[in-house]
Each structure stands twice: as structure tokens, then as C-alpha cells.
């Protein structure tokens, strides 16, 4: 196999089947001998014990050398497959995985973060693994890869997804009560789709600058405000009614063809109730620039902009330490947490706070600053949440109404 197209699967599987095959042959051989000896040397055939063993150097040499070679060959197979796992291809795409109780997060070289391990199919991927708290283990059964995440130390693995798809990622080291929830996925996608996702921030930035330069934002708002033309907010998420030149009407969800047409031939069909004043941009920008704007427009969806608090709560493993039913876990129950009177240890003194929004935010971003009385300062910092995610989480906590108990 070409050294550049190595993967982590083939050699591990070959080693496994080699050792399994030899073991199966031995089992068969030994069992057959045993049955044959039990028959051949049965007591009824040999009532008197007898021995005429004199030693037989040739047999002794043979039965020493053959098993040694067998065991050495197993070692050789195991060793080469181990070095293959450790020898990371030079062109590997590098990223960082961080383990904490009880979730995984991934950080890319351009600063992008994700709670799924998104990778381009066909590329070798190098993962540097770190742990923020205890021992965890990064385990990808589909790629035969498993490596401990050790606090204070960086470990590395690599793998190469050869087909698009989702593959399980587990923590394989028992790390506390939320251990079984510490799962994520590897999402392997075509290079092009990956690049689009990977460069989303830069692309959005460029698309916005381009639209500013072309004057689009003079007639279209980004935030839902009324302007000359329809707002771009939730562009891809809503249906509009279009008026055709023959005055008939139809509804349309934005797709690529419609969006291109709206920019190149804006007067071919008009958004209902709006005047035909948008100029055509045919010939006023390159096709590449047009595609960039279209990509950006098609990414404007309301549901993407509003993260789901319950989902973040589950994904970040909050439920491993916090219950909703008043029962005490590693952390206090969060039923009725909003508005309750919190007694916390802060700057060396016992203080009381009303748990308002600011208190909830601070509890999540900076839990060690105010530690609830009677609990250990175990909660990890969730400072990598985006503002929108934090808002959604706080909103979710506010909705957990009930009598608060510690
Ligand atoms: C002079 C004001 C004006 C400018 C400049 C302008 N537009 Fe428009 N645009 C409109 C109006 C008015 C409509 C609604 C009537 C129509 O369909 O043509 C519209 C419609 C659209 C639509 C369809 C909207 C929908 O919700 O279906 C898209 C997409 C669009 N414009 C993109 C652009 C882009 C991209 C630019 C810059 C390259 C731009 N517009 C520049 C006024 C403008
Ligand atoms: C490893 C266990 C652990 C995890 C995971 C955890 N917490 Fe905590 N949490 C605690 C502990 C222990 C306390 C009490 C001590 C303190 O205030 O730091 C606490 C306190 C809190 C408080 C203050 C409660 C009060 O009664 O005043 C809030 C709010 C909170 N956590 C929310 C969250 C959210 C949201 C998440 C997920 C993003 C989360 N926690 C994840 C252990 C955890
Ligand atoms: Cu773990």
C-alpha cells in the first residue's frame, strides 16, 4: 500500500485475525490430540502404568523452535501495527480534542470550535488530546483507535476516514457518574463541504463586506428591520410570495436557483408588495463573488441562530452533576434555581445572593468564584460557550420552575 494512503484499520485488523487464526488452530489441534490420547491411552487398554521415555533431542528442538517462531511472528505483527498507529503521517490535518467531565470539545487551528469532530474524508487526521480534570480515553472503534486523555499531558492519535458518514466517539475510561453520557461523533464529509464549514467565519465576513461594497445593505437589513427591500434575516428559513410578470402568484422557499435569479434578474419576479427598484447585478460581480453571497444568504436560518438550551445542557454533560427533582448529586438540583436565595462561599466569606440572570451566567462561566455552600468546587468552567449558547442555557434554567432545595 502507498505510504501516503495508510490508515489505522488494516494493520490492526490483520494482527487481530492473525492471532485469532493461530489461536483457533491451536485450540483445534490441542483438542483433537487430547481426545485421541484419551482414547489411545485409556486405562482399559493399559491397565499397568508404564514408561519408556528416553528423551528425543530432535522432537525437543522442533517443539521449542516452532512455538517460538509463532509467538515471535505474533509479536512482529503487533509491533508493526503499533508503530503504524504511532507514526502520524506528515500531511495530517491537526486539531485538538479536550476531554472534561463529561463531554468532548474540539478546537481547530483557525480557532473554530465544535462539539462534533468534523473532518474531511480521505485526509489523515491528527488529534492532540488533553484533559481538563481526570483520566478519560479517546476511543474511535470504527478506526481502531484508543488513547488515554491524561491531565497535564498531551497525547496524540491519528486516523483516516475513507467514507463519508458518522462514526461513534466514546470515552473508554470510567470517569464518574456521567461517563456513559460522554459520547460524540466523528462526522466525515467531502473536502468541499468541510472547507465551507471550516471557513464559514471568513466567508461570512467576506460576503458581508462584498454586500456592503455593492450597496445591497442600503436596501436590505440584516436584523429584521424594515427597509426598501426584504430583510436578509432568516432568508433561507421563510417562504415568500412572488408576483410573476403575468400577475400570477406563487410561494417560494429560497434555494440556490431562486437566490441567484433574484440577484441577476430581480425584476423577473417580485416579492409581493415591493416595488421593482432593485437593479440587476448581472456583470457587476464575478460568479465567484455571486456564489459567496448566495452561500451566505442560504445560511441565514432562524433555527441556526437560536440554540436549544435543553440540548446544550445535555451535550455539555450538565445532567451528570445536576438533577431537576430536588435530589442532591455532585452539584445542587437545579429545580427552581432562578430567583432562589443562594448561599455561597465567595472570596473567603459566606455570602447570600439572589440567583438572578447574572448569577446564573457567572455560575456557568466562572463557577469557582462563588461556590454553593455544602458543595465542593468541582464544576468545570464552561468559558467556551458562545454568547447565544449561554443565553439559551440561562433561558432554559429560568424555565425550571419549582421549589428549590439544596
Ligand atoms: C435599490 C435597492 C436595492 C438594492 C441596492 C439591492 N436590492 Fe435586493 N431587493 C430590493 C427590493 C425592493 C426587493 C424586493 C422586490 C424584488 O423581488 O425585486 C429585493 C429583493 C432581493 C432578493 C429576494 C428577497 C427575498 O426575500 O426573496 C434578494 C436575494 C436580493 N434582493 C439580494 C440583493 C443583493 C445580494 C443585493 C446586492 C448585490 C441587492 N439585493 C441590492 C432592493 C434592492
Ligand atoms: C462535574 C460536575 C458538574 C458539572 C458537569 C456541572 N456542574 Fe454546575 N455545579 C456543580 C457543583 C459541585 C456546584 C456547586 C458548587 C459551585 O457553586 O461551584 C454547581 C453549581 C451550579 C450552579 C449554581 C447552583 C445554585 O444552586 O446556586 C448552576 C446554575 C450550575 N451549576 C449550572 C450548571 C450548568 C448549566 C452546567 C452545564 C453547562 C453545569 N452546571 C455542569 C457541579 C457541576
Ligand atoms: Cu470520560
Amino acid at each position: 500500500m502507498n505510504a501516503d494512503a495508510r490508515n489505522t484499520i488494516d494493520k490492526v485488523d490483520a494482527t487481530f485475525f492473525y492471532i485469532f487464526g493461530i489461536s483457533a488452530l491451536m485450540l483445534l489441534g490441542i483438542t483433537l490430540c487430547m481426545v485421541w490420547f484419551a482414547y489411545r491411552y485409556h486405562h482399559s487398554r493399559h491397565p499397568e502404568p508404564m514408561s519408556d521415555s528416553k528423551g528425543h533431542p530432535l522432537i525437543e528442538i522442533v517443539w521449542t523452535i516452532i512455538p517460538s517462531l509463532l509467538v515471535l511472528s505474533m509479536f512482529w505483527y503487533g509491533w508493526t501495527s503499533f508503530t503504524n498507529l504511532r507514526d502520524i503521517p506528515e500531511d495530517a490535518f491537526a486539531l485538538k480534542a479536550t476531554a472534561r467531565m463529561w463531554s468532548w470539545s474540539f478546537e481547530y487551528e483557525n480557532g473554530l470550535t465544535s462539539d462534533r469532530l468534523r473532518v474531511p474524508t480521505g485526509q489523515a487526521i491528527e488529534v492532540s488530546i488533553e484533559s481538563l480534570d481526570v483520566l478519560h480515553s479517546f476511543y474511535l472503534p470504527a478506526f481502531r483507535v484508543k488513547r488515554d486523555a491524561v491531565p497535564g499531558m498531551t497525547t496524540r492519535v491519528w486516523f483516516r476516514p475513507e467514507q463519508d458518514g458518522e462514526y461513534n466517539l466514546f470515552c473508554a475510561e470510567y470517569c464518574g457518574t456521567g461517563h456513559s453520557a460522554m459520547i460524540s461523533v466523528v462526522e466525515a464529509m467531502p473536502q468541499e463541504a468541510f472547507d465551507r464549514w471550516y471557513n464559514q467565519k471568513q466567508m461570512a465576513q467576506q460576503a458581508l463586506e462584498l454586500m456592503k461594497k455593492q450597496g445591497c445593505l442600503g436596501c436590505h437589513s440584516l436584523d429584521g428591520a424594515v427597509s426598501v427591500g426584504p430583510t436578509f434575516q432568516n432568508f433561507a428559513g421563510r417562504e415568500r410570495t412572488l408576483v410573476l410578470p403575468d400577475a400570477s402568484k406563487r410561494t417560494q422557499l429560497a434555494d440556490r436557483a431562486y437566490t441567484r435569479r433574484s440577484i441577476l434578474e430581480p425584476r423577473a419576479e417580485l416579492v409581493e408588495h415591493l416595488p421593482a427598484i432593485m437593479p440587476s447585478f448581472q456583470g457587476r460581480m464575478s460568479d465567484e463573488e455571486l456564489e459567496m453571497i448566495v452561500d451566505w444568504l442560504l445560511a441565514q436560518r432562524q433555527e441556526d441562530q437560536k440554540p436549544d438550551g435543553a440540548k446544550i445542557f445535555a451535550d455539555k454533560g450538565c445532567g451528570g452533576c445536576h438533577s431537576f427533582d430536588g435530589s442532591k448529586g455532585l452539584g445542587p438540583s437545579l429545580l427552581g434555581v432562578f430567583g432562589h436565595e443562594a448561599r455561597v462561599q465567595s472570596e473567603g466569606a459566606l455570602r447570600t445572593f439572589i440567583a438572578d440572570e447574572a448569577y446564573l451566567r457567572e455560575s456557568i462561566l466562572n463557577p469557582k468564584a462563588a461556590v454553593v455552600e455544602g458543595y465542593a468546587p468541582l464544576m468545570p468552567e464552561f468559558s467556551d460557550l458562545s454568547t447565544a449558547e449561554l443565553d439559551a442555557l440561562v433561558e432554559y434554567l429560568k424555565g425550571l420552575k419549582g421549589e428549590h432545595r439544596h
Side-chain angles (χ1 to χ4, degrees):
M1 179 179 279
N2 177 342
D4 296 321
R6 280 188 299 140
N7 66 30
T8 51
I9 301 172
D10 297 342
K11 285 202 167 175
V12 172
D13 284 3
T15 309
F16 175 81
F17 286 118
Y18 183 70
I19 295 178
F20 183 79
I22 287 183
S23 308
L25 278 180
M26 300 281 241
L27 176 70
L28 193 72
I30 291 170
T31 309
L32 286 178
C33 278
M34 188 185 73
V35 171
W36 168 245
F37 286 173
Y39 167 78
R40 175 72 181 73
Y41 301 105
H42 192 263
H43 176 66
S44 60
R45 247 175 277 275
H46 302 277
E48 292 303 321
M50 57 170 214
S51 167
D52 59 357
S53 64
K54 292 183 203 70
H56 193 308
L58 185 63
I59 289 188
E60 282 171 24
I61 288 171
V62 167
W63 79 36
T64 307
I65 288 184
I66 290 183
S68 301
L69 287 179
L70 272 181
V71 171
L72 277 174
S73 72
M74 286 194 226
F75 167 75
W76 178 249
Y77 257 89
W79 172 251
T80 53
S81 113
F82 174 80
T83 51
N84 177 56
L85 289 175
R86 285 291 180 272
D87 178 15
I88 300 173
E90 268 171 23
D91 63 346
F93 179 80
L95 57 92
K96 199 173 110 186
T98 304
R100 65 149 68 101
M101 293 155 115
W102 288 290
S103 62
W104 295 100
S105 56
F106 306 99
E107 194 183 330
Y108 294 80
E109 276 178 355
N110 69 356
L112 205 61
T113 60
S114 167
D115 52 11
R116 312 181 117 215
L117 184 48
R118 285 178 227 243
V119 294
T121 305
Q123 253 287 343
I125 312 295
E126 173 184 354
V127 188
S128 308
I129 308 163
E130 287 175 7
S131 167
L132 295 182
D133 36 45
V134 299
L135 264 191
H136 300 275
S137 179
F138 181 92
Y139 181 31
L140 296 177
F143 302 108
R144 322 293 192 254
V145 157
K146 188 199 269 177
R147 191 96 204 251
D148 277 2
V150 187
M153 181 174 155
T154 302
T155 50
R156 287 188 173 76
V157 297
W158 76 278
F159 63 96
R160 185 193 306 273
E162 281 169 347
Q163 270 165 359
D164 298 343
E166 296 195 351
Y167 306 90
N168 288 321
L169 192 171
F170 298 113
C171 173
E173 185 71 58
Y174 181 66
C175 54
T177 55
H179 166 66
S180 62
M182 195 164 162
I183 42 187
S184 179
V185 288
V186 172
E187 189 178 335
M189 48 175 116
Q191 184 79 45
E192 204 175 289
F194 178 79
D195 288 342
R196 213 172 310 128
W197 174 78
Y198 189 64
N199 297 321
Q200 54 181 309
K201 277 198 185 130
Q202 290 99 302
M203 303 282 261
Q205 201 55 42
Q206 283 177 14
L208 280 173
E209 267 161 29
L210 194 58
M211 288 192 292
K212 221 179 275 166
K213 204 179 86 197
Q214 293 280 0
C216 322
L217 302 184
C219 294
H220 295 278
S221 77
L222 297 174
D223 57 0
V226 178
S227 183
V228 183
T231 178
F232 285 155
Q233 190 184 50
N234 196 24
F235 177 81
R238 66 183 138 87
E239 263 190 351
R240 71 271 291 133
T241 304
L242 298 178
V243 184
L244 279 61
D246 63 1
S248 64
K249 290 182 187 174
R250 68 183 175 93
T251 56
Q252 168 85 49
L253 254 171
D255 58 16
R256 191 162 287 273
Y258 167 73
T259 311
R260 283 181 69 101
R261 206 163 56 237
S262 306
I263 300 170
L264 297 178
E265 306 163 44
R267 296 179 193 184
E269 35 188 21
L270 294 178
V271 177
E272 196 182 18
H273 306 310
L274 292 175
I277 55 167
M278 174 163 158
S280 165
F281 285 86
Q282 186 91 53
R284 290 175 54 186
M285 53 175 110
S286 69
D287 204 53
E288 206 174 282
E289 292 175 318
L290 177 65
E291 279 300 299
M292 199 184 287
I293 293 181
V294 171
D295 280 340
W296 182 86
L297 282 167
L298 292 176
Q300 304 309 304
R301 261 175 207 284
Q302 207 72 67
E303 57 264 33
D304 287 350
Q305 290 161 359
K306 229 181 166 184
D308 176 0
K311 189 169 172 299
I312 300 168
F313 193 87
D315 287 350
K316 294 286 173 193
C318 313
C321 293
H322 294 288
S323 79
F324 297 147
D325 58 4
S327 68
K328 193 170 161 168
L330 285 181
S333 163
L334 293 180
L335 190 70
V337 65
F338 182 62
H340 89 287
E341 203 170 277
R343 288 164 62 76
V344 298
Q345 199 72 40
S346 165
E347 291 164 3
L350 197 57
R351 290 160 201 253
T352 310
F353 290 105
I354 295 299
D356 55 7
E357 268 190 32
Y359 171 85
L360 292 182
R361 263 167 221 280
E362 197 55 21
S363 301
I364 298 167
L365 293 180
N366 196 3
K368 305 224 166 29
V371 177
V372 179
E373 189 187 14
Y375 290 89
L378 277 177
M379 176 159 157
E381 280 170 23
F382 290 91
S383 45
D384 59 345
L385 290 165
S386 72
T387 330
E389 287 173 327
L390 185 62
D391 288 348
L393 203 48
V394 168
E395 233 12 74
Y396 175 67
L397 294 181
K398 282 169 73 178
L400 301 170
K401 301 216 169 74
E403 194 200 334
H404 186 72
R405 268 180 284 158
H406 274 283

